[in-house]
Amino acid sequence: MDINNILHGVECSCGKTHHCDIEYVYIESGAIARLEKLCEQNENILIVADENTYSAVGEYVEKTLHHKTIKKLIFPGKTVLIPNEKAIEKVKETLDGEDIILGIGSGVIQDLCKYVSFFSKIPYIIVATAPSMDGYASDGAAMIIGGMKETVKAGLPKAIIADTEVLKNAPMEMIKAGYGDIIGKYSALCDWKLSTIVTGEYFCQYIYDMTYQMIERTLEVATGILERKEKSIKTLTEALMIVGIMMSFAGSSRPASGSEHHLSHFFEIVGIVNNEPYFAHGIDVSYSTVIIAQIREKVLKSEFPDVLYRLSREDYTEEINQIYKTVASGCIALQDKVGNYEADRLNIYREKEENIRHILDTTPSSEDIIKMLNVVGLDMREFYDLYGMKKINDAVLYAKDLKDRYTVLWLYYDLFGGGRIC
């Protein structure tokens, strides 16, 4: 599949003209050599990486650009890099007249470069070091601002360099994370259709179909991904890139991020607040996709009640403060702004019940998702062992409060109070 053709844009039957302002995406063996041509008009380059990503390919990048003036910002590799105000400021204060930012890394490095590039109006190129997530080609930066996980509308890279010789040697955990992130699209796409029925949200069949196709292509090469076969790693990387482009087409992360991502964000934010461990993003997403499938199954087995579930304001505030602590006020303010707790969707649920049940029923089951994860050695037991049943059930109930997006988590809460799922 020629990704660069997709970048040119699509006149879509949804009524919109989709486009993505990335100039080039190169997914190939030896792609790093293309930096020389891409940076021919740039003289002063800021490289941003961490110790791990720099050791993977940093010297090769510098050798390719040996005739340029290069400054480096290398974050420590032994501690988890958090894309927060402190990290943003570190990148901004290192900039001193450079005319392009060159990120070497994946998720957090990508988001930091994207964020600083956009607000500093300096272009950036990302050299991918792992096929671990779908954000390379999206126009959203997943940041933690004021303790809250936010997808900030930001710019796009000038180019993405994905050298398959590098990617196939990435840590296996990160390769599995990329695979898990793709599997999570089953949940995200289901939530998108659900929201279209319940809230009237914009929907595009082209974006939906293209994203679904990327899931299917990834499943076809799952065994090869685990074996680090270069062709399979390339297919996974293409899928992640195209999903990112679909987010840019949609103008939001909706095609790729739903309730499964909200659970993942819950484990990350609570982990940071309480200094507790959490999985890499894509792995959290993959396991959370199983939990979300179990929620769909529980809804399908249940009768819709006659009244919506609601806590009193006092009880809601008390529980949110217990769970989120220092970021609780941000969650409360967000939900007050969005008005989800004031929304009376009971008549919509009654009117659209048949459609809602059909959408939930035509998405893979939890058993199916578990089988997909097992192919690459992802075992739900490690998810239960790390988080325990209480934290998982807390996530089912409270993850919805981190975001303004309607998903099956709101359906489950509205109808059944977000009761225990495991």
Side-chain angles (χ1 to χ4, degrees), residues 59-91:
E59 290 184 5
Y60 185 13
V61 169
E62 286 199 62
K63 184 178 179 180
T64 303
L65 300 172
H66 64 90
H67 52 298
K68 305 292 184 179
T69 300
I70 294 176
K71 182 188 289 185
K72 292 180 286 187
L73 171 59
I74 312 297
F75 288 96
K78 293 183 179 180
T79 56
V80 176
L81 178 58
I82 298 174
N84 57 12
E85 294 93 338
K86 182 178 179 181
I88 292 167
E89 189 57 36
K90 186 67 176 177
V91 179

Side-chain angles (χ1 to χ4, degrees), residues 34-43 45 65 67-68 100 102 125 158:
R34 292 187 180 271
L35 284 171
E36 184 174 9
K37 177 69 174 176
L38 289 169
C39 295
E40 64 180 352
Q41 301 300 318
N42 305 107
E43 292 301 325
I45 299 172
L65 300 172
H67 52 298
K68 305 292 184 179
I100 195 165
L102 184 59
I125 293 173
K158 173 182 177 180

Side-chain angles (χ1 to χ4, degrees), residues 10-18 202-207 249:
V10 175
E11 292 282 350
C12 190
S13 60
C14 76
K16 294 188 176 184
T17 300
H18 303 306
Y202 160 78
F203 179 81
C204 174
Q205 192 65 48
Y206 171 83
I207 294 173
F249 279 10

Side-chain angles (χ1 to χ4, degrees), residues 113-176:
C113 291
K114 182 184 298 185
Y115 185 95
V116 174
S117 166
F118 181 74
F119 289 101
S120 300
K121 302 188 185 307
I122 298 172
Y124 83 101
I125 293 173
I126 185 71
V127 177
T129 55
S132 56
M133 54 94 207
D134 58 19
Y136 289 113
S138 77
D139 60 1
M143 312 300 291
I144 296 180
I145 307 296
M148 290 283 286
K149 188 86 172 187
E150 295 183 24
T151 300
V152 180
K153 195 78 168 178
L156 291 161
K158 173 182 177 180
I160 301 171
I161 301 296
D163 194 321
T164 52
E165 286 289 335
V166 175
L167 300 179
K168 73 177 184 179
N169 293 314
M172 182 50 67
E173 181 186 36
M174 301 191 78
I175 295 173
K176 290 180 179 181

Side-chain angles (χ1 to χ4, degrees), residues 43-64:
E43 292 301 325
N44 299 290
I45 299 172
L46 173 63
I47 288 178
V48 180
D50 66 32
E51 290 173 341
N52 298 319
T53 60
Y54 184 83
S55 66
V57 76
E59 290 184 5
Y60 185 13
V61 169
E62 286 199 62
K63 184 178 179 180
T64 303

Side-chain angles (χ1 to χ4, degrees), residues 207-223:
I207 294 173
Y208 178 96
D209 290 343
M210 183 65 78
T211 304
Y212 206 96
Q213 183 182 339
M214 292 307 103
I215 307 172
E216 293 178 328
R217 290 188 67 204
T218 301
L219 288 172
E220 290 172 359
V221 299
T223 302

